[in-house]
Amino acid sequence: MSKGVNLKELSKKLNLSQTTVSRALNGYPEVSAETRRRVSEMAEELGYAPNSQARRLATGRSMAIGHVIPRSIHEMMNPIFLEFIAGAGETYSKHGYDMIISVVEDDHEEDAYRQIASRKKADGVIVHGPTSDERRHKLLKKLNLPFVVHGRIPGAEEETSWIDMNNRRAFERATNLLLDLGHTRIALLNGLEHMDFAKRRRRGFEEALRARGHKPDQALMRSSDMTEPFGCENAMEMLKGDNPPTAFLVSSMISAIGVARAVGQCGLKTGKDVSIITHDDALSFLPNSGEIPIFTCTRSSVRFAGQKAAELLLAMISEPGSKPTSLHLDAELIIGQSTGPAPAR
Amino acid sequence: MSKGVNLKELSKKLNLSQTTVSRALNGYPEVSAETRRRVSEMAEELGYAPNSQARRLATGRSMAIGHVIPRSIHEMMNPIFLEFIAGAGETYSKHGYDMIISVVEDDHEEDAYRQIASRKKADGVIVHGPTSDERRHKLLKKLNLPFVVHGRIPGAEEETSWIDMNNRRAFERATNLLLDLGHTRIALLNGLEHMDFAKRRRRGFEEALRARGHKPDQALMRSSDMTEPFGCENAMEMLKGDNPPTAFLVSSMISAIGVARAVGQCGLKTGKDVSIITHDDALSFLPNSGEIPIFTCTRSSVRFAGQKAAELLLAMISEPGSKPTSLHLDAELIIGQSTGPAPAR
DNA sequence: TTGAAAGCGTTACCAT
DNA sequence: ATGGTAACGCTTTCAA
């Protein structure tokens, strides 16, 4: 039965001052070894645990990190978001931090940050899903709330801390692979292009095409929430059109599964009649591994990104005034079963 | 510029006591209308916001709800879990509660609950993914920490508050539909059967079969994490075996997509050669709606469950000592394109 | 090495 | 209707 002893009671029991007990428990050096031992033992015995609210009030640090998710993000990026969160959460736990998640209506996002700052709910926040006309970083600077961006804020790369994968390069490499395989009609099924990551992916795609003398064809590019039906419906439409693509470059496994479904429904074979390369966030419930992964993919673990983002943020918090840091992860290009040479015409 | 005024400064500015200001802001009735107006105005002007740590310390309530997720859960139930969280989060926000999520190693789960209780990190918790030999509820009772179970704890239905869908009945109805369509060889691709929900689904399946004089065939039942490859590989194996099933009953959309892939790879057609019914948690990134949904399914919104679970828990917290409540949701059985009459042999 | 006492910013009790 | 003051449970400064 852990009874809920507090510091006062504990110190009384030990015939020591609260001060000493606190110091002993918090590892201050000036406590004698013997005292420290006695204190820890008794604390253990009485099941003492410091009240976090009290400690937070006293120290002025809330020992929590906030994640604000507007509905729009979580509807769109649902599983990816959780995987990131899971990674970040691991890091927080390790360092004794709590993770606070605020699910808010889209137009209350700023309010949420304001509250976190003014009510001291968290010592820092992670900014998710930066868009092309991002503004949250300005607010956060004004609020003096440390933050790390998952992704990049165009034009503010130098003045903010962020972690991102090399979206442009990943899609450039994927495109080149398809070109090498002889594909020339390549479709792009991208995420919402007001999101920075999606814009970069498109850029990588188009640049690779142009560099090899191909003109990007608007008719072969779509941008939307990365759902399964999005992949299926658009692939279907394109495959049934005149001059259909022989390859698809897709922004998420989920949509790629949809594309594969469309391919099947058209009586074609993935990896033979139609090639697919997808980005793979390494989501645990959608494993794409094995000796030969189902999908050829550009892979970058979003969970790992979460861990790293959290580390970055905690470091910023413990060293206020330090320079912005950023981490640029490179995606791997992994060959799976969904690509093959372009079919002869 | 919200400067971070505190109650003391605010009350000084107003020539009022902290007490009165606090009362005015917290809506106590004994404050004159005029005073309240003045206070609110000044509070607004100076950008006052109460420090949550201080308030928590003073009130003794942490105004937060905890969710402990051991890795095993989130690896398994990733997207479903997030959708639930999102629903719960909406409710918390509405009521001024924070949501804190602890991602812990599997063998630290109990510790996490102990800490939440002893350090007063949250006023209550949600218990996710109850298993057949569930024990967490006992610990939580001992810790005196209010909780609501998402799912049911076998044998403790009366003494705990929970929200669950009718898993048994949903799978019973789905099985009956398949039987009505003439299918007799029906495969079950279930979640991990140490989980209570999976066990109930299996029961519904087997009972329906027996009630119509069919003997469940072990060779047609599998149980695992509900990933996409799980669906594909097992369906493939069964379809290629002798005496293959003509229908699949699947525990999650993700695996069902895998089954559909296998069906396609075998050169068969879903809804014609092979029928599929899946449970659909109504995940936002896997929409299965439209005039005719892709998959025939038993559907129950896990997001809605999250909202309700949160409401239940908040009610418990505001009325301590109240009786356990529970909510039993019924899944809808929705006809989509993935079912049809059993093919003639 | 230890202790006394003053915060931290609220709320809540008891007066008035 | 308003105010004084004591909690709440910890950390931290200053003394010893």
Side-chain angles (χ1 to χ4, degrees):
Chain A
M1 210 27 59
S2 27
K3 280 267 38 88
V5 207
N6 62 20
L7 188 59
K8 198 172 178 180
E9 294 160 3
L10 175 59
S11 55
K12 187 156 289 172
K13 203 91 174 184
L14 283 159
N15 265 48
L16 282 172
S17 71
Q18 293 190 32
T19 314
T20 305
V21 175
S22 171
R23 279 196 281 236
L25 259 23
N26 289 315
Y28 281 58
E30 66 256 41
V31 180
S32 80
E34 162 63 6
T35 304
R36 194 187 302 278
R37 198 190 48 70
R38 275 184 61 218
V39 170
S40 331
E41 254 172 29
M42 185 63 81
E44 170 81 10
E45 187 184 328
L46 302 186
Y48 169 76
N51 178 308
S52 23
Q53 326 300 346
R55 169 181 275 173
R56 286 162 182 185
L57 179 56
T59 58
R61 284 169 309 153
S62 72
M63 296 301 285
I65 301 299
H67 292 246
V68 176
I69 33 176
R71 285 215 196 204
S72 65
I73 267 206
H74 80 71
E75 300 227 324
M76 185 164 48
M77 315 252 295
N78 228 330
I80 292 161
F81 178 75
L82 180 60
E83 197 84 11
F84 182 91
I85 284 295
E90 289 169 18
T91 301
Y92 299 145
S93 297
K94 242 176 253 164
H95 295 260
Y97 273 75
D98 285 342
M99 172 164 70
I100 297 186
I101 300 205
S102 303
V103 179
V104 300
E105 297 304 320
D106 287 27
D107 48 345
H108 284 28
E109 198 177 351
E110 291 215 344
D111 271 7
Y113 287 118
R114 286 215 159 78
Q115 280 210 6
I116 288 174
S118 63
R119 315 179 94 114
K120 309 259 155 46
K121 286 195 170 192
D123 299 327
V125 296
I126 299 277
V127 172
H128 296 278
T131 60
S132 305
D133 59 341
E134 188 54 56
R135 295 176 305 144
R136 284 171 290 181
H137 61 301
K138 300 198 172 159
L139 174 62
L140 293 172
K141 285 222 164 126
K142 215 177 70 186
L143 294 173
N144 221 348
L145 194 58
F147 66 96
V148 166
V149 183
H150 179 209
R152 253 172 298 174
I153 297 179
E157 282 92 345
E158 300 300 319
E159 44 179 297
T160 56
S161 285
W162 49 265
I163 178 165
D164 198 8
M165 56 163 282
N166 196 330
N167 283 294
R168 193 197 52 72
R169 185 156 159 64
F171 269 45
E172 178 183 69
R173 292 180 63 200
T175 307
N176 277 327
L177 173 61
L178 290 171
L179 291 170
D180 290 345
L181 287 168
H183 297 274
T184 53
R185 294 207 38 86
I186 305 174
L188 174 68
L189 299 187
N190 204 359
L192 286 166
E193 290 181 353
H194 67 273
M195 306 292 286
D196 179 68
F197 79 89
K199 203 156 277 173
R200 288 177 197 276
R201 289 180 184 179
R202 183 196 192 115
R203 200 177 308 148
F205 171 69
E206 294 187 342
E207 285 176 8
L209 285 180
R210 289 215 184 79
R212 305 267 285 253
H214 299 277
K215 210 173 115 220
D217 180 352
Q218 287 300 329
L220 293 183
M221 300 192 220
R222 303 290 154 85
S223 155
S224 169
D225 272 351
M226 299 178 292
T227 62
E228 201 270 354
F230 162 63
C232 182
E233 287 162 16
N234 283 284
M236 191 66 98
E237 195 186 313
M238 292 184 190
L239 289 172
K240 285 192 171 156
D242 330 324
N243 203 5
T246 60
F248 287 84
L249 184 49
V250 189
S251 242
S252 111
M253 284 274 295
I254 312 219
S255 300
I257 288 172
V259 173
R261 182 158 63 93
V263 170
Q265 280 180 18
C266 289
L268 301 171
K269 214 155 160 42
T270 295
K272 189 153 161 282
D273 305 309
V274 178
S275 287
I276 303 176
I277 302 185
T278 179
H279 182 68
D280 177 2
D281 294 286
L283 305 182
S284 44
F285 65 98
L286 277 181
N288 181 38
S289 40
E291 323 90 88
I292 308 180
I294 299 161
F295 287 105
T296 296
C297 64
T298 56
R299 185 184 299 156
S300 175
S301 162
V302 66
R303 172 119 158 224
F304 179 76
Q307 292 171 359
K308 288 303 171 190
E311 285 172 18
L312 235 53
L313 183 53
L314 295 186
M316 283 178 68
I317 289 170
S318 68
E319 285 164 53
S322 55
K323 288 224 175 63
T325 333
S326 49
L327 221 58
H328 209 168
L329 307 173
D330 254 308
E332 302 169 283
L333 178 55
I334 296 174
I335 306 297
Q337 306 172 37
S338 65
T339 41
R345 280 202 129 222
Chain B
M1 229 348 92
S2 26
K3 279 268 40 89
V5 206
N6 63 20
L7 189 59
K8 199 172 177 178
E9 293 160 3
L10 175 59
S11 55
K12 187 156 290 172
K13 203 90 173 183
L14 282 159
N15 265 50
L16 283 172
S17 72
Q18 294 190 32
T19 314
T20 304
V21 175
S22 171
R23 278 195 282 236
L25 258 23
N26 290 312
Y28 281 58
E30 66 256 41
V31 180
S32 81
E34 164 63 7
T35 304
R36 195 187 304 277
R37 199 191 47 70
R38 273 185 60 217
V39 171
S40 330
E41 253 171 30
M42 185 64 81
E44 169 80 10
E45 187 185 327
L46 302 187
Y48 168 77
N51 178 308
S52 21
Q53 325 300 347
R55 169 182 273 176
R56 285 163 182 183
L57 179 57
T59 59
R61 283 169 309 153
S62 72
M63 294 301 284
I65 301 298
H67 292 247
V68 176
I69 36 177
R71 286 217 196 204
S72 64
I73 267 206
H74 81 70
E75 300 227 323
M76 186 163 47
M77 314 252 296
N78 228 329
I80 292 161
F81 178 75
L82 180 59
E83 197 84 13
F84 182 91
I85 283 297
E90 289 169 17
T91 301
Y92 299 145
S93 298
K94 242 177 254 166
H95 295 260
Y97 274 74
D98 284 341
M99 170 163 72
I100 94 179
I101 300 204
S102 305
V103 178
V104 301
E105 297 303 320
D106 288 28
D107 49 345
H108 283 26
E109 198 177 352
E110 291 215 344
D111 272 6
Y113 286 118
R114 286 213 159 79
Q115 280 210 6
I116 288 174
S118 63
R119 316 179 94 114
K120 308 259 156 48
K121 287 197 169 190
D123 299 326
V125 296
I126 299 279
V127 172
H128 296 277
T131 61
S132 305
D133 59 340
E134 188 54 56
R135 294 176 306 145
R136 285 170 289 180
H137 61 300
K138 299 196 174 160
L139 174 62
L140 293 172
K141 286 222 163 129
K142 215 176 72 185
L143 294 173
N144 222 346
L145 193 58
F147 66 95
V148 166
V149 183
H150 179 207
R152 254 172 297 175
I153 298 180
E157 283 92 344
E158 300 300 319
E159 45 179 295
T160 56
S161 286
W162 48 265
I163 178 165
D164 198 8
M165 56 163 284
N166 196 330
N167 283 294
R168 193 197 51 71
R169 185 157 158 62
F171 269 45
E172 178 182 69
R173 292 180 64 202
T175 307
N176 278 326
L177 173 61
L178 290 171
L179 291 170
D180 290 345
L181 288 168
H183 297 275
T184 53
R185 292 206 41 86
I186 305 174
L188 174 68
L189 298 187
N190 204 0
L192 286 166
E193 290 181 353
H194 66 273
M195 304 293 284
D196 180 68
F197 79 90
K199 201 157 278 175
R200 288 176 197 276
R201 289 180 183 179
R202 181 192 194 124
R203 201 178 307 147
F205 171 70
E206 294 188 340
E207 284 175 9
L209 286 180
R210 289 214 184 81
R212 305 268 286 253
H214 299 277
K215 211 174 113 217
D217 179 353
Q218 287 301 329
L220 294 183
M221 300 192 221
R222 302 291 155 83
S223 156
S224 170
D225 272 351
M226 300 178 292
T227 62
E228 201 270 358
F230 163 63
C232 183
E233 287 161 17
N234 283 285
M236 192 66 98
E237 194 186 313
M238 291 185 190
L239 289 172
K240 284 193 170 153
D242 331 323
N243 203 5
T246 60
F248 288 84
L249 184 49
V250 189
S251 243
S252 110
M253 284 274 296
I254 310 215
S255 301
I257 289 171
V259 173
R261 179 158 64 94
V263 170
Q265 279 180 18
C266 289
L268 301 170
K269 213 154 161 44
T270 296
K272 189 153 162 284
D273 305 309
V274 178
S275 287
I276 304 176
I277 302 185
T278 179
H279 182 67
D280 176 3
D281 293 288
L283 305 182
S284 45
F285 65 98
L286 276 180
N288 181 37
S289 40
E291 323 90 85
I292 308 179
I294 299 162
F295 287 106
T296 296
C297 65
T298 57
R299 185 184 299 156
S300 175
S301 163
V302 68
R303 172 117 160 227
F304 179 76
Q307 292 172 358
K308 288 304 171 188
E311 286 172 17
L312 235 53
L313 183 52
L314 296 186
M316 282 178 68
I317 289 170
S318 68
E319 284 164 54
S322 55
K323 289 224 176 62
T325 333
S326 48
L327 221 56
H328 210 168
L329 307 174
D330 254 308
E332 302 170 283
L333 179 55
I334 296 174
I335 307 297
Q337 306 171 36
S338 66
T339 41
R345 280 200 131 226

